[in-house]
Amino acid sequence: MSFELRIEPTGQTVAVAEGQTLLDACLRAGVWLPHACCHGLCATCKVRVLCGEVEHGEASPFALMDFERDEGLALACCATLQSDATLEADLDEDPDARVIPVQDFAGTVLAVQRLTPTIVGIRLRLDGVLDFQAGQYINLAIPGVEGRRAFSIASTPLQAREQHEIELQVRRVPGGAGTTWLHEQLQPGMTLNLAGPYGRFFVRRSAARPLLFIAGGSGLSSPLSMVRELLATGAAEPITLVVGQRCREELYAHDELLALAEAHPGLLRYLPVLSHEPEGSAWPGLRGWAHEAARDFFAGDFRGLKAYLCGPPALIEASVATLMQGRLFERDIHTEQFLSAADAQRARSPVFRSV
């Protein structure tokens, strides 16, 4: 049994299966709705139901209050249909966004490589072609773990098209059942199920502006895909990649990025910075925080740039504040952060809606 969902103001219609969330149905039909945590906690996917009946599911009473439910609001990541319905959503038109319906894939593990003491690289061969924009992510099903986990794709769309392969970079989260399993149990030859692509984190190439990437931890995976893709497809605008890690042993893809910067002088500038590297070590590079390194490199003036930030919430919040102090504002700052249930319940910025 399925229901018909009409989306205003575009007038698009989507078939929604019984028990399927509004968000999942839309994404699989190639209709993008704003969303973030996908756990009913952050309220990013809030929509207004103009007519029809919905079941609110596990929406948090803090993200969707009782009076909002009475007024016809719902969280698309949790709500399911009980009848045909019409909803109104805040749809952002983006000339650089491609319409790529979410699909399901099975992936055979080709390799599991330890990149740092806390991050492993996982290479998967898929049973089909995953079409995506560099910077997007997949949702991975992990055996014995409830729900799915989001991981950015570090490889390029060209690799996925030609070799049916993708690369993931997974940081072990202390106490995290999913990442612990991937670090301790995953072996070559195993099969994992996944769905994608997801996300609106991709390069706005039509802007034709110099690019600044700031990344930290395994948040390097999305910018790595984006930089690889830009260089492979003949980018013309200068690229600055600032990578913040705690210490030298946590700094991965370093040799590759040094080689890319050497091969593209004047186009790619790579700035690795370490925040907790021991005093007196042999590290010859920058020390401190990524947002501070970016501020110093650009002398505190970020006007005319397009910035892309990916990593833990603290890095993104500090970077946003630094960029805005340097006269770069929301329309030119793009972020990607994966929210756990705990993260999603944190207060969100009142001045920057994507943080």
Side-chain angles (χ1 to χ4, degrees), residues 92 96 230 244 342:
D92 292 329
D96 293 289
L230 285 165

Side-chain angles (χ1 to χ4, degrees), residues 39-344:
H39 299 301
L41 297 168
C42 72
T44 304
C45 65
K46 191 174 293 182
V47 296
R48 183 175 299 277
V49 180
L50 300 177
C51 67
E53 297 296 325
V54 301
E55 169 58 48
H56 290 287
E58 298 181 358
S60 162
F62 299 101
L64 187 68
M65 298 184 181
D66 289 341
F67 78 88
E68 292 180 306
R69 300 174 193 232
D70 294 340
E71 292 176 354
L73 297 178
L75 301 185
C77 73
C78 297
T80 57
L81 290 187
Q82 306 297 302
S83 69
D84 293 344
T86 300
L87 66 81
E88 183 180 52
D90 181 14
L91 303 177
D92 292 329
E93 294 294 331
D94 192 319
D96 293 289
R98 294 180 53 212
V99 177
I100 309 174
V102 169
Q103 298 183 66
D104 294 310
F105 298 89
T108 301
V109 180
L110 298 178
V112 182
Q113 177 187 9
R114 186 154 298 281
L115 302 176
T116 78
T118 61
I119 298 173
V120 295
I122 301 171
R123 192 156 56 92
L124 299 170
R125 175 168 293 146
L126 306 184
D127 61 352
V129 177
L130 172 59
D131 189 14
F132 68 98
Q133 292 183 262
Q136 292 188 294
Y137 66 93
I138 56 93
N139 279 337
L140 186 69
I142 301 173
V145 178
E146 184 179 358
R148 295 194 172 201
R149 302 295 187 268
F151 298 107
S152 293
I153 306 169
S155 46
T156 65
L158 180 62
Q159 184 177 357
R161 287 194 300 269
E162 294 188 347
Q163 303 174 23
H164 292 197
E165 293 181 12
I166 62 170
E167 175 190 350
L168 309 176
Q169 296 167 350
V170 179
R171 182 179 70 88
R172 184 168 184 166
V173 177
T179 60
T180 296
W181 191 94
L182 292 173
H183 274 248
E184 295 183 355
Q185 304 297 326
L186 189 65
Q187 298 292 329
M190 290 182 172
T191 298
L192 297 174
N193 295 315
L194 59 98
Y198 293 94
R200 299 279 275 191
F201 193 59
F202 48 81
V203 175
R204 274 63 178 181
R205 299 188 75 159
S206 65
R209 295 186 181 186
L211 305 163
L212 169 61
F213 296 92
I214 303 178
S218 59
L220 175 58
S221 52
S222 284
L224 191 58
S225 174
M226 297 156 94
V227 169
R228 286 168 167 170
E229 176 83 353
L230 285 165
L231 296 178
T233 55
E237 289 74 34
I239 303 165
T240 302
L241 171 61
V242 182
V243 177
Q245 302 289 12
R246 290 179 58 84
C247 55
R248 178 62 184 90
E249 64 178 355
E250 290 287 347
L251 186 64
Y252 70 96
H254 181 59
D255 291 341
E256 176 189 354
L257 289 168
L258 285 174
L260 286 174
E262 184 176 356
H264 299 85
L267 181 61
L268 174 62
R269 297 170 290 194
Y270 167 52
L271 303 177
V273 54
L274 305 181
S275 61
H276 291 75
E277 178 68 6
E279 292 293 334
S281 74
W283 172 246
L286 299 173
R287 297 170 184 258
W289 301 101
H291 64 282
E292 296 173 341
R295 179 198 62 202
D296 294 345
F297 184 82
F298 286 96
D301 187 351
F302 300 103
R303 287 175 293 182
L305 300 178
K306 272 285 186 181
Y308 300 86
L309 318 177
C310 191
L315 176 142
I316 289 180
E317 291 170 5
S319 297
V320 166
T322 298
L323 292 171
M324 295 184 76
Q325 289 167 6
R327 306 293 292 173
L328 193 69
F329 301 110
E330 180 176 356
R331 65 181 179 275
D332 293 318
I333 303 174
H334 306 276
T335 69
E336 182 75 294
Q337 60 179 323
F338 297 136
L339 300 173
S340 68
D343 290 330

